[in-house]
């Protein structure tokens, strides 16, 4: 879908309105499904920094296609200013779910983090960082599908807002790092996204439904998040892919029983014996029990062992006698 003018959009409803932008549910040229139309104010559209960062991100964001990203579908300009349109999803933001006292299990939290990491890694590969990941910009469906919204857009709005006030050196430094985009996103900006995600998961974990079956996974996840949020520790993992890998290990490992190497049965009269040793115990052909538990006495076993030898010897004697009679 392409658009060159706002008149091509059929406005269905207004979603939100701020001095910077208006968000509306709209249909473009009668195409389904509806999209979210974001119209920026005339003052914002005239801001050089805003226009510059939007232009820098636009092509990469339009190329980015990931199942966990709300896709930017287009950017254009009308007589009244810049506007863009994105996918419109029915899933509510994570804030709404948390404020409704919905409690996620530990596995759910790990799954949410895993999906977000996947989306962040693809964005970072294109040189795009979110910068403002929060419970308002993460959407979660009833089936636990997850999307990142406002990728790029949140950064544009922040750059425009901070360009008006550069009195704080910290704010200026953060704005500069958010404007700078190259083939690969800067490490500091990537780490900011990972820290934001770790903080969100830690908040979810504090009100999670704890279960005995996932106690080990919960402790491991807590240690991982605490280490990422501790300023005195080196930030590991340092990429979204590494973070995703750590979460994947927890997701696959949670609730899975360990396979014992040694049998630890405590039956009366039976010592602790290696499972491997038991596998190679000789078995009786009739009863299928191990030789150590057989009811055949040692004397009987000895006679059974000698019987084939006696038969062979008797046959040899008989053959010798017959041969002598014939010749």
């Amino acid at each position: 879908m392409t658009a060159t003018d706002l008149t091509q959009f059929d406005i269905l409803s207004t979603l939100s309105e701020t001095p910077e932008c208006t968000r509306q549910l709209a249909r473009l040229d009668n195409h389904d499904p509806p999209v979210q139309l974001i119209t920026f104010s005339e003052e914002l559209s005239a801001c050089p920094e805003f226009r510059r960062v939007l232009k820098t991100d636009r092509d990469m964001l339009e190329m980015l296609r990931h199942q966990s990203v709300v896709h930017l579908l287009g950017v254009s300009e009308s007589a009244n200013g810049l506007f863009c349109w994105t996918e419109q999803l029915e899933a509510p933001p994570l804030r709404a779910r948390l404020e409704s006292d919905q409690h996620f299990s530990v596995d759910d939290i790990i799954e949410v983090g895993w999906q977000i990491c996947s989306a962040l890694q693809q964005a970072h590969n294109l040189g795009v960082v979110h910068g403002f990941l929060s419970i308002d910009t993460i959407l979660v469906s009833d089936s636990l599908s997850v999307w990142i919204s406002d990728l790029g857009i949140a950064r544009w709005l922040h750059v425009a807002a901070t360009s008006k006030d550069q009195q704080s050196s910290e704010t200026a430094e953060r704005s500069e790092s958010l404007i700078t985009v190259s083939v690969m996103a800067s490490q500091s900006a990537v780490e900011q996204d990972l820290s934001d995600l770790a903080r969100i998961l830690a908040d979810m974990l504090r009100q999670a439904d704890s279960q005995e079956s996932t106690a080990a996974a919960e402790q491991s996840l807590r240690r991982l998040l605490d280490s990422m949020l501790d300023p005195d520790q080196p930030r590991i993992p340092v990429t979204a892919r590494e973070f995703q890998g750590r979460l994947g290990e927890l997701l696959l490992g949670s609730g899975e029983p360990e396979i014992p190497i040694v049998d630890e049965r405590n039956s009366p009269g039976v010592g602790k014996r290696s499972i491997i040793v038991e596998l190679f115990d000789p078995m009786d052909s009739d009863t299928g029990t191990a030789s150590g538990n057989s009811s055949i006495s040692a004397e009987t076993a000895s006679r059974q062992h000698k019987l084939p030898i006696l038969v062979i010897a008797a046959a040899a004697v008989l053959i010798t006698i017959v041969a002598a009679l014939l010749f």
Side-chain angles (χ1 to χ4, degrees):
M1 294 184 293
T2 59
T4 57
D5 195 270
L6 285 173
T7 58
Q8 294 179 253
F9 291 89
D10 181 20
I11 307 301
L12 304 177
S13 63
T14 298
L15 303 173
S16 66
E17 192 170 1
T18 66
E20 293 77 27
C21 65
T22 300
R23 297 173 185 256
Q24 297 170 302
L25 184 65
R27 184 174 280 111
L28 173 57
D29 288 335
N30 295 320
H31 284 89
D32 285 326
V35 298
Q36 181 176 147
L37 174 64
I38 306 175
T39 307
F40 301 105
S41 68
E42 291 187 36
E43 180 183 1
L44 193 62
S45 298
C47 174
E49 289 80 7
F50 178 81
R51 299 182 70 91
R52 179 160 60 90
V53 71
L54 183 150
K55 183 179 179 180
T56 301
D57 283 356
R58 179 183 59 195
D59 292 340
M60 289 180 289
L61 288 172
E62 289 180 348
M63 286 192 305
L64 177 59
R65 288 295 179 265
H66 190 280
Q67 62 183 6
S68 293
V69 171
V70 177
H71 299 143
L72 177 70
L73 301 176
V75 177
S76 190
E77 186 170 11
S78 68
N80 296 324
L82 293 165
F83 63 93
C84 68
W85 60 103
T86 71
E87 290 181 307
Q88 173 64 22
L89 302 177
E90 296 299 327
L94 180 57
R95 177 185 293 278
R97 294 196 176 276
L98 294 177
E99 290 182 348
S100 65
D101 293 329
Q102 177 175 346
H103 297 286
F104 294 88
S105 69
V106 174
D107 283 353
D108 289 344
I109 296 170
I110 296 173
E111 174 66 27
V112 167
W114 193 94
Q115 293 184 52
I116 296 174
C117 282
S118 177
L120 285 178
Q121 184 60 54
Q122 186 162 333
H124 293 168
N125 288 344
L126 291 174
V128 178
V129 293
H130 194 288
F132 300 93
L133 203 62
S134 70
I135 57 177
D136 293 307
T137 56
I138 294 175
L139 311 180
V140 183
S141 73
D142 293 337
S143 61
L144 211 65
S145 293
V146 182
W147 295 269
I148 298 175
S149 68
D150 278 12
L151 181 62
I153 298 171
R155 195 164 65 93
W156 304 344
L157 295 173
H158 174 80
V159 167
T162 55
S163 67
K164 298 178 181 179
D165 183 9
Q166 298 294 338
Q167 294 179 0
S168 169
S169 59
E170 180 180 353
T171 301
E173 182 180 353
R174 179 169 170 79
S175 299
E176 183 178 355
S177 68
L178 288 169
I179 293 174
T180 304
V181 180
S182 58
V183 177
M184 292 297 292
S186 69
Q187 186 59 39
S188 61
V190 167
E191 290 179 355
Q192 182 64 48
D193 276 352
L194 300 184
S195 294
D196 289 344
L197 175 56
R199 191 171 295 106
I200 292 167
L201 298 181
D203 290 341
M204 295 176 69
L205 191 59
R206 276 191 280 272
Q207 50 182 293
D209 286 329
S210 297
Q211 301 176 3
E212 184 177 351
S213 61
T214 57
E218 180 177 355
Q219 293 175 6
S220 299
L221 177 59
R222 196 179 304 278
R223 285 195 297 269
L224 172 62
L225 300 178
D226 288 345
S227 66
M228 293 182 65
L229 296 173
D230 187 348
D232 297 327
Q233 294 189 30
R235 186 163 293 148
I236 298 174
V238 296
T239 67
R241 180 173 288 112
E242 290 178 22
F243 196 176
Q244 183 186 25
R246 297 288 185 90
L247 294 174
E249 291 172 2
L250 295 177
L251 194 62
L252 292 175
S254 60
E256 295 292 332
E258 294 183 359
I259 300 176
I261 298 176
V262 176
D263 186 10
E264 296 184 353
R265 294 168 294 176
N266 295 313
S267 301
V270 179
K272 295 181 180 179
R273 308 177 67 237
S274 169
I275 290 176
I276 296 176
V277 172
E278 288 190 0
L279 287 175
F280 291 96
D281 277 339
M283 306 297 289
D284 183 270
S285 61
D286 294 330
T287 64
T289 58
S291 62
N293 297 327
S294 175
S295 60
I296 301 175
S297 67
E299 183 179 355
T300 302
S302 177
R303 286 200 301 268
Q304 289 179 349
H305 182 70
K306 293 178 181 178
L307 184 58
I309 299 176
L310 294 175
V311 172
I312 294 172
V317 172
L318 183 60
I319 292 172
T320 302
I321 294 172
V322 172
L325 291 175
L326 293 177
F327 296 99

